[in-house]
């Protein structure tokens, strides 16, 4: 894949940590930064896909504030109750998927 030059400003402590990491890994600082940026985009892509999947899987079940508050109060008091069952059921109209 072709590459391009990119410059940026960074905090001196971040630069020190970058250089130390690069030294320990016996890589260049540019390699470590490029790897970090690639990992960031992979996580962002996974997050966006998880959000899309959650929206697609939405079946309309919800939890009322009362149910969650009661569960959290018991949890805060040291009880290990399982997560409550949903108590709100909405009909969700999903748009047709485009091809």
């Amino acid at each position: 894949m072709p590459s391009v030059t990119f410059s940026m400003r960074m905090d001196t402590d971040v630069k020190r940590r970058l250089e130390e990491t690069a030294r320990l890994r016996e890589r260049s600082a540019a390699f470590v930064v490029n790897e970090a940026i690639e990992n960031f985009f992979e996580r962002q892509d996974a997050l966006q896909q998880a959000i899309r999947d959650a929206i697609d899987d939405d079946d309309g079940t919800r939890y009322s504030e009362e149910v969650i508050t009661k569960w959290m109060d018991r949890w805060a008091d040291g009880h290990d109750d399982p997560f409550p069952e949903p108590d709100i059921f909405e009909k969700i109209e999903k748009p047709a998927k485009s091809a």
Side-chain angles (χ1 to χ4, degrees), residues 13-49:
D13 287 337
V14 172
K15 185 170 190 275
R16 179 191 52 77
R17 291 178 65 193
L18 169 62
E19 290 169 344
E20 178 66 11
T21 299
R23 185 187 66 75
L24 291 171
R25 294 185 62 199
E26 297 180 352
R27 295 289 191 166
S28 69
F31 178 90
V32 174
V33 168
N34 193 61
E35 184 178 59
I37 292 170
E38 287 176 0
N39 288 336
F40 170 80
F41 284 123
E42 286 175 9
R43 288 191 313 271
Q44 289 300 305
D45 291 346
L47 173 62
Q48 292 302 316
Q49 186 60 52

Side-chain angles (χ1 to χ4, degrees), residues 65-76:
E65 180 180 351
E66 292 80 13
V67 165
I68 296 298
T69 300
K70 182 178 176 184
W71 174 74
M72 289 180 70
D73 286 345
R74 289 195 41 82
W75 182 64

Side-chain angles (χ1 to χ4, degrees), residues 58-97:
D58 187 358
D59 64 358
T61 58
R62 304 283 186 270
Y63 301 87
S64 66
E65 180 180 351
E66 292 80 13
V67 165
I68 296 298
T69 300
K70 182 178 176 184
W71 174 74
M72 289 180 70
D73 286 345
R74 289 195 41 82
W75 182 64
D77 289 338
H79 295 82
D80 193 17
D81 293 352
F83 198 76
E85 293 295 321
D87 62 333
I88 299 172
F89 304 92
E90 300 173 348
K91 183 167 172 42
I92 301 294
E93 296 288 333
K94 294 184 183 179
K97 290 193 179 201

